């Protein structure tokens, strides 16, 4: 990414609250991330959690993807975290969001798995400010489904449908945009991540 591309991302995020970026990082790194996540043992994946108050059974009806958190102990994971840290610095420089931290997990949606409409953060309850989703899937087409649907903040109108294509990054303000993941026909791999502030914003 060049300085101009980072500026474009920050400006668009400020103006409309979300942005879809194609070819976000080097394709070589995206390929490594795909090979990495697809070679992790199944035992490392956890059934994703939603809220503290939900029972395991309710949870299955909301989302049923499998997740693994990224850490700095693996070189490929670290390379992605570094790229997102550069993005964090650039967003702070232009938007004064005071983003301090980034956390992310790989998500695997086997065929038929989904994540119903939700928001990633509730005002006053979370310090997640900007959500990110990065897609690792080569040769994804409309027939494979598994789109991310972004809704207007009012929750009624569909704003954008995004295919989970190799190299595409989506960023949006965590508290403002409800979104959902439609069931896919193929295995669907993504990295969902959140830029955080230190303080909970009230
Ligand atoms: C999430 C999420 C979207 C996607 O994990 O919170 O909304 O397209 N993921 O994988
Ligand atoms: Mn989400």
């Amino acid at each position: 990414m060049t300085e101009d591309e980072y500026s474009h991302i920050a400006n668009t995020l400020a103006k409309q609250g979300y942005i879809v970026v194609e070819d976000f990082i080097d394709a070589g790194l995206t390929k490594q991330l795909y090979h990495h996540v697809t070679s992790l043992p199944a035992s490392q994946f956890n059934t994703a959690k939603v809220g503290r108050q939900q029972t395991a059974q309710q949870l299955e009806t909301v989302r049923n993807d499998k997740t693994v958190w990224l850490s700095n102990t693996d070189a490929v994971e670290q390379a992605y975290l570094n790229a997102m840290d550069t993005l964090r610095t650039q967003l702070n420089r232009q938007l004064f969001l005071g983003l301090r931290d980034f956390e992310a997990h790989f998500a695997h949606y086997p065929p038929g798995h989904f994540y119903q409409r939700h928001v990633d953060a509730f005002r006053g309850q979370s310090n997640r400010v900007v959500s990110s989703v990065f897609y690792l899937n080569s040769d994804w087409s409309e027939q494979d489904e598994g789109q991310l649907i972004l809704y207007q903040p009012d929750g009624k109108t569909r704003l954008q449908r995004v295919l989970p294509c190799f190299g595409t990054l989506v960023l949006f303000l965590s508290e403002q945009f409800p979104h959902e993941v439609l069931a896919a026909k193929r295995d669907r791999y993504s990295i969902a991540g959140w830029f955080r502030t230190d303080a909970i914003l009230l």
Side-chain angles (χ1 to χ4, degrees):
M1 291 267 126
T2 63
E3 288 288 320
D4 279 359
E5 287 168 319
Y6 283 120
S7 290
H8 174 69
I9 291 173
N11 290 335
T12 309
L13 203 54
K15 234 190 290 170
Q16 64 180 20
Y18 72 95
I19 182 169
V20 180
V21 185
E22 285 171 22
D23 301 319
F24 170 59
I25 49 174
D26 176 69
L29 176 55
T30 310
K31 255 183 218 156
Q32 284 182 306
L33 287 161
Y34 175 82
H35 289 300
H36 180 69
V37 68
T38 52
S39 57
L40 290 174
S43 60
Q44 281 202 30
F45 285 83
N46 298 308
T47 301
K49 292 194 177 67
V50 181
R52 260 173 264 148
Q53 66 279 52
Q54 264 147 326
T55 66
Q57 202 180 8
Q58 282 173 311
L59 218 84
E60 292 277 299
T61 66
V62 176
R63 70 185 297 185
N64 50 22
D65 55 323
K66 310 266 182 232
T67 63
V68 187
W69 289 95
L70 276 72
S71 80
N72 275 322
T73 55
D74 174 87
V76 177
E77 295 179 11
Q78 187 176 37
Y80 183 75
L81 294 173
N82 286 345
M84 295 308 274
D85 203 60
T86 304
L87 176 60
R88 184 183 66 80
T89 309
Q90 295 285 342
L91 292 179
N92 278 340
R93 193 169 292 165
Q94 288 196 46
L95 299 180
F96 310 104
L97 285 172
L99 305 174
R100 292 277 163 269
D101 209 355
F102 179 74
E103 59 183 0
H105 60 55
F106 290 106
H108 172 209
Y109 293 76
H113 288 222
F114 56 83
Y115 192 168
Q116 288 174 359
R117 191 167 74 180
H118 64 280
V119 286
D120 286 346
F122 295 97
R123 202 157 179 78
Q125 289 183 14
S126 166
N127 47 15
R128 289 177 172 180
V129 177
V130 177
S131 297
S132 65
V133 196
F134 182 62
Y135 298 110
L136 307 176
N137 312 291
S138 295
D139 306 316
W140 198 276
S141 69
E142 288 284 341
Q143 292 92 298
D144 298 320
E145 303 179 3
Q147 292 92 343
L148 171 73
I149 311 286
L150 276 184
Y151 291 88
Q152 299 268 23
D154 70 13
K156 291 179 193 144
T157 326
R158 284 186 176 199
L159 203 57
Q160 186 111 0
R161 293 164 73 253
V162 186
L163 282 178
C165 294
F166 184 91
T168 297
L169 176 75
V170 183
L171 298 173
F172 54 91
L173 300 178
S174 304
E175 287 175 0
Q176 292 190 21
F177 293 91
H179 53 283
E180 73 178 310
V181 179
L182 303 183
K185 300 260 162 83
R186 287 169 51 187
D187 289 288
R188 178 191 191 276
Y189 294 94
S190 58
I191 303 175
W194 297 273
F195 293 101
R196 312 174 64 108
T197 56
D198 287 336
I200 290 182
L201 303 170
L202 293 168

